[in-house]
Amino acid sequence: DTTVKQNPRYKLARVGKPVNLICSQTMNHDTMYWYQKKPNQAPKLLLFYYDKILNREADTFEKFQSSRPNNSFCSLYIGSAGLEYSAMYLCASSRRTGANQAPLFGEGTRLSVL
Amino acid sequence: AQKVTQTQTSISVVEKTTVTMDCVYETRDSSYFLFWYKQTASGEIVFLIRQDSYKKENATVGHYSLNFQKPKSSIGLIITATQIEDSAVYFCAGGNYAQGLTFGLGTRVSVFP
């Protein structure tokens, strides 16, 4: 299976409530990324894991958390959702070495915060 | 890449013709990768083609090819023999695996019969 899977596809959350998004891949990719995509904006990198090492972007450091319990799974956690978190959340994975490698994206989770 | 700029917001072309999209990037890295992705109507982002910064030859995959001009920090995408299903938003992205990718705002391509 050469796809990245995300669950759920759609998520409705209330302001102030936590949100947990799941991503998985079985391609033995060493790196997994989370991006946020809003309409008419570029996908924005939130954080990524290289193996077990988490790298978070400076401007989203406190807003998002993540865990990677094993090579195949990665989660994105929002402790207290705000209206500004409404967006498409895209997970991607890749392998750092090898010709023609590229981050492959899942279908995304569309989060609506009300 | 620290910054990726796509200046063309939208392009309309007639089916079976060629479309060219521009992308300019800024980077402090000596080695980096450049990618083009396509976002479908469902929102899915699909990988199309990649260019390694150290390679002088332009990458080609199917009817996608790149125009890599390193001195200008430019990586254009060329789609030949366009089809209706090529209608999508095309994103340019750059970076390396230690930093993740930076994306441009995208160019919407509409292919008409």
Side-chain angles (χ1 to χ4, degrees):
Chain A
D1 187 358
T2 58
T3 59
V4 177
K5 299 190 189 311
Q6 292 188 241
N7 285 298
R9 292 292 311 279
Y10 300 92
K11 176 72 177 177
L12 191 62
R14 295 292 181 185
V15 171
K17 297 298 185 182
V19 175
N20 196 45
L21 308 180
I22 301 296
C23 177
S24 66
Q25 50 86 18
T26 56
M27 296 174 280
N28 200 30
H29 282 173
D30 50 27
T31 307
M32 296 184 75
Y33 310 82
W34 280 101
Y35 284 83
Q36 181 190 65
K37 174 76 173 68
K38 293 185 176 181
N40 301 315
Q41 295 185 18
K44 176 181 170 56
L45 180 65
L46 300 176
L47 52 86
F48 66 95
Y49 268 98
Y50 170 55
D51 196 15
K52 296 185 185 302
I53 301 171
L54 175 61
N55 299 270
R56 289 191 283 183
E57 294 297 288
D59 58 345
T60 57
F61 191 87
E62 296 179 345
K63 296 182 178 181
F64 299 93
Q65 297 175 40
S66 183
S67 67
R68 192 178 185 188
N70 57 55
N71 178 269
S72 299
F73 289 88
C74 188
S75 67
L76 182 69
Y77 181 76
I78 301 169
S80 176
L83 296 176
E84 70 276 16
Y85 287 87
S86 292
M88 175 78 88
Y89 289 86
L90 296 158
C91 176
S93 71
S94 68
R95 186 177 297 133
R96 284 199 172 187
T97 57
N100 299 319
Q101 292 292 315
L104 301 179
F105 283 81
E107 293 181 303
T109 295
R110 190 175 297 278
L111 173 65
S112 297
V113 181
L114 304 176
Chain B
Q2 281 66 49
K3 187 176 181 180
V4 175
T5 302
Q6 295 178 254
T7 56
Q8 300 155 299
T9 304
S10 64
I11 302 174
S12 294
V13 296
V14 175
E15 191 179 15
K16 300 179 184 177
T17 62
T18 296
V19 62
T20 300
M21 282 164 268
D22 301 328
C23 176
V24 175
Y25 60 91
E26 296 177 21
T27 182
R28 293 186 289 269
D29 299 326
S30 57
S31 178
Y32 51 90
F33 304 97
L34 300 162
F35 305 86
W36 279 91
Y37 288 85
K38 165 184 176 181
Q39 185 176 31
T40 65
S42 67
E44 186 178 5
I45 294 183
V46 179
F47 166 64
L48 298 177
I49 191 168
R50 154 182 156 170
Q51 178 77 39
D52 298 350
S53 62
Y54 59 87
K55 291 186 177 179
K56 294 184 178 180
E57 317 82 57
N58 291 319
T60 298
V61 176
H63 72 148
Y64 303 107
S65 61
L66 298 177
N67 179 16
F68 181 41
Q69 300 183 55
K70 195 171 182 179
K72 296 183 178 180
S73 296
S74 171
I75 183 74
L77 175 67
I78 304 164
I79 308 176
T80 57
T82 53
Q83 304 166 7
I84 301 297
E85 49 267 33
D86 290 322
S87 296
V89 179
Y90 289 82
F91 289 98
C92 175
N96 59 52
Y97 290 101
Q99 299 173 352
L101 299 185
T102 300
F103 281 77
L105 284 173
T107 297
R108 181 176 298 277
V109 172
S110 300
V111 182
F112 295 96

